[in-house]
Every structure is written in C-alpha cells, then in structure tokens.
Amino acid sequence: MQVTEVLAKNSGKTLVSFEVLPPLKGGSMQAIFDMLDPLMEFNPPFIDVTYHREEFIYKKQNSGYYEKIAIRKRPGTVGICAAIMHRYKVDAVPHLLCGGFSIDETENALIDLNFLNINNVLALRGDARPFEKKFVPDPNGNAYAIDLVKQINRMNQGIYLDTNIANGASTNFCIGVAGYPEKHFESPNGDMDLLYLKQKVDAGADYIVTQMFFDNKHYFDFVDKCRAIGIQVPIIPGLKPLTKRYQLQSIPRNFYVDIPKELADEVHAAKTAEAVRSIGIEWCTAQSKELKEKGAPCLHYYTMGDSKTIKQIVEAIY
Ligand code: FAD
C-alpha cells in the first residue's frame, strides 16, 4: 500500500514507522531482522531503508603510494526492502538519491523497484561525499531532489527516457521527500528552503518526512509555514533519541539541528552513560507524546541500529 493511502486510511490516528540502515558490508540480513523483530508489535505501516552512496578511501600500495578507491560501505538497500516486505508483509520505502546516479541508472533502479512491487520511494538529493566540498551530481544525473521527483513522476505516467517507448507501463510510486524544520544547511534562509520544498510537492511529491529535531516547536512552526504557503501533503516528523554524551556535538555537526539548552544541560550533568541514555529516552518520549496529542500523522523513528531504545520510547506512548 502507498504511504499516503495508509495515512489517509488511519486519519486521526498517529501511526509509528521506522528507518533502518543497511548493515556494513560483510554484515547479514539477520542483523536487520534482529533489529526489526522487537519493533513489529507496533504495526508500522512502512519501514524506510536508507541509501548510502560510495565513498573514497585511500589504500597504501606496495610502492608506498596511496590509491584512491571508491567503496560502498552499506550496500543492499533494495534487497533489504524486498526481504522486509517478504518477511513482515509490510511496505518498505527505499531511499533513492540523485548523487551517484545517472538518469539512466535511476530509471533502471526504479524499474527494479517496480518489478519488486515496491511502490513507495523517498526521493533525496544526497550529500557531498567526504573530501568533496559540495554536492556534485553525476554528469548525466539529477541535480536536486525535485529533478528526481519529476523523473519518478514521469514514469508514473508511463514516460521513459527512451522516447521510442510508446505505451510504457506506468509505475505507481508514492513519492516522499525530505523537509527541514530548522532549514537545510545549504539554504540561505528558511523561506527559500520552504519555497524549494513547495516546488518538490508541486512537482509530484506526495508526503514529507522531516529531519530530526529536539524541540517540537520547530516542527509545529514548520507545519504552519508549510500550510501557509499551500503545502497540503502529510508532514511526518522524524525523531531520534539522543542517548550518548558525544551526540551533543555529533548531532549538530552531522544533521545541522540544535540541541535545546535544557536537554544539553541535563546531559552534561549526568554522571553515567546509563543516566545520559535515560535522559534522552525521557526527552524523546515527551516529544513523541506531544506530537501524538497534537495529531501528527505518524512518528517516524530513526533507529540507527538501536531497537531497544526505540522500543522503550514507543512502549511508553502506546
Ligand atoms: P534538495 O531538496 O535537492 O535540497 C538541497 C538544497 O538545495 C537545499 O538547501 C534546498 O533549499 C536547495 N534547493 C532545492 N532545490 C533547489 C533548486 N531548484 N535550485 C537551487 N537550490 C535548490 N542522505 C543519504 O545519503 N541517504 C539517505 O538515505 C538519506 N535519508 C534521508 C532521510 C531524511 C528524512 C532526511 C531529512 C534526509 C536524508 N538524507 C539522506 C540526507 C539528504 O540527502 C541531505 O540532507 C541532502 O543534503 C539534501 O537532500 P534533499 O533531498 O533535501 O535535497
């Protein structure tokens, strides 16, 4: 079922969904099942699987020189989606990036997904690779998420890149896109970021999943601003508990979001790692409760391999 269909069917109810990361190369599918098994009692209508493009590493050669090698540390997104759907009979949402894909490769990836009966996709631009200062699209690739949305939308109308294909089979993708309550870090200001978000929706995006935030006010203001400029699609809040002291620095650095002073102060004052974890769980539980009370359509948890923590939070609110 499409994400928007399931949200419409459960209108007025707050659902729970999860995002998982493919294991590091060499890992097993069982690791994903072990992570998800304890969470399935919450009946997630869909599970997102992230996509990780190649990175460069420098490997020392016998000559003493270093060779630059491209590796993908976490491959397997599509296979994991298929395995999740097969095991749990629940929809999987693969993340699909502009970065690293030509438009032909994107089309072929979408054909694979369609043949696997995967009808949801989160369309993203992706980030610059480590060692690159800014995002560089493939020479024949999509430059922004909106371009990817448009490509998917054309396939939904049976239009393929090869113009000789007449009466091409229409795909039926429900298209999600990312939104940033605290603005995307490259955007000159929040208004401009919202304008581009609106363009993604006007181009065919069916729903929005937000970047994580630790102050619900950011989400509520974001939703109000979206509605004010005519974005009517569902806006799903993304949530991640802060459970380790070092995340006070790593989360803002990696995700460009603020940690509220009250939370940061509590974490600083905590005496043990377990106390930090409890503070983070309590904070995320309170966030989740308020979002549920105020009618968020779904709470989308970034599990980051820690199902125990997520289970504790969801158990507290349902
Ligand atoms: P876009 O919507 O293309 O926006 C990128 C920037 O360009 C923004 O500053 C925007 O304001 C600006 N912009 C947009 N359109 C235009 C235009 N036409 N002209 C000029 N400027 C424009 N990354 C991964 O690598 N793998 C994942 O699985 C993944 N999952 C994610 C899931 C969620 C819910 C979120 C919020 C992010 C995820 N990301 C993932 C990170 C994401 O790829 C980065 O945040 C990336 O920098 C931006 O992606 P986007 O789709 O929002 O880009």
Side-chain angles (χ1 to χ4, degrees):
M1 199 183 279
Q2 295 198 325
V3 167
T4 45
E5 250 180 277
V6 84
L7 295 180
K9 250 179 93 176
N10 289 277
S11 168
K13 213 168 138 188
T14 302
L15 304 170
V16 176
S17 60
F18 306 108
E19 177 193 280
V20 296
L21 272 70
L24 286 167
K25 193 180 268 188
S28 72
M29 189 60 217
Q30 193 54 44
I32 298 282
F33 292 149
D34 290 346
M35 241 273 307
L36 282 174
D37 282 351
L39 299 175
M40 295 317 288
E41 64 175 280
F42 304 114
N43 297 318
F46 58 92
I47 293 165
D48 277 48
V49 184
T50 55
Y51 188 91
H52 302 259
R53 63 179 298 196
E54 82 285 4
E55 296 174 24
F56 289 122
I57 57 157
Y58 288 87
K59 201 169 174 191
K60 196 168 185 182
Q61 303 299 297
N62 291 338
S63 61
Y65 287 109
Y66 282 86
E67 191 189 355
K68 187 177 173 187
I69 299 173
I71 55 158
R72 280 193 63 204
K73 288 187 181 165
R74 294 182 185 271
T77 301
V78 176
I80 292 170
C81 284
I84 286 174
M85 288 172 66
H86 181 69
R87 180 177 174 103
Y88 301 113
K89 314 287 176 243
V90 67
D91 281 290
V93 184
H95 292 189
L96 192 59
L97 303 185
C98 302
F101 284 82
S102 68
I103 51 174
D104 283 295
E105 287 162 345
T106 299
E107 184 172 273
N108 292 335
L110 288 164
I111 289 170
D112 279 343
L113 296 176
N114 185 44
F115 287 172
L116 284 166
N117 207 22
I118 295 173
N119 293 315
N120 296 286
V121 68
L122 193 73
L124 299 149
R125 187 197 69 178
D127 280 318
R129 286 179 292 197
F131 308 115
E132 277 178 350
K133 280 216 167 86
K134 62 180 182 103
F135 173 79
V136 182
D138 185 280
N140 190 29
N142 291 309
Y144 291 103
I146 186 174
D147 304 313
L148 178 55
V149 170
K150 286 179 181 167
Q151 184 176 4
I152 302 168
N153 214 10
R154 281 194 295 273
M155 283 183 67
N156 279 349
Q157 295 163 53
I159 303 167
Y160 290 73
L161 294 171
D162 180 351
T163 48
N164 292 321
I165 298 174
N167 304 318
S170 302
T171 56
N172 187 28
F173 289 108
C174 174
I175 309 168
V177 288
Y180 302 83
E182 294 173 69
K183 111 174 173 56
H184 185 260
F185 71 101
E186 290 169 23
S187 189
N189 57 62
D191 289 340
M192 201 168 261
D193 203 26
L194 275 182
L195 215 73
Y196 287 130
L197 178 59
K198 170 126 180 10
Q199 288 179 5
K200 287 195 278 194
V201 173
D202 292 344
D206 298 295
Y207 70 101
I208 295 163
V209 184
T210 78
Q211 181 58 282
M212 66 185 72
F213 51 88
F214 292 86
D215 179 346
N216 285 352
K217 190 171 179 311
H218 291 307
Y219 171 78
F220 297 128
D221 287 352
F222 177 71
V223 173
D224 287 348
K225 284 183 189 164
C226 285
R227 300 307 180 221
I229 62 164
I231 296 174
Q232 297 302 344
V233 298
I235 302 176
I236 299 175
L239 290 164
K240 172 181 163 41
L242 182 158
T243 50
K244 306 206 170 58
R245 203 183 298 271
Y246 70 78
Q247 290 173 329
L248 283 180
Q249 282 79 40
S250 66
I251 289 176
R253 189 173 57 238
N254 294 328
F255 301 103
Y256 307 92
V257 298
D258 268 2
I259 308 292
K261 182 173 182 312
E262 195 187 332
L263 174 59
D265 285 349
E266 279 187 49
V267 171
H268 272 307
K271 297 267 185 290
T272 63
E274 194 42 46
V276 171
R277 184 170 172 272
S278 301
I279 291 163
I281 289 176
E282 224 175 275
W283 190 274
C284 190
T285 305
Q287 277 193 279
S288 305
K289 277 186 179 157
E290 189 187 22
L291 289 163
K292 184 169 178 259
E293 273 160 27
K294 297 204 174 161
C298 183
L299 306 179
H300 187 66
Y301 291 94
Y302 300 120
T303 61
M304 308 245 181
D306 185 0
S307 60
K308 191 173 155 217
T309 296
I310 303 297
K311 186 171 159 72
Q312 233 173 300
I313 293 164
V314 183
E315 256 167 1
I317 56 166
Y318 284 94

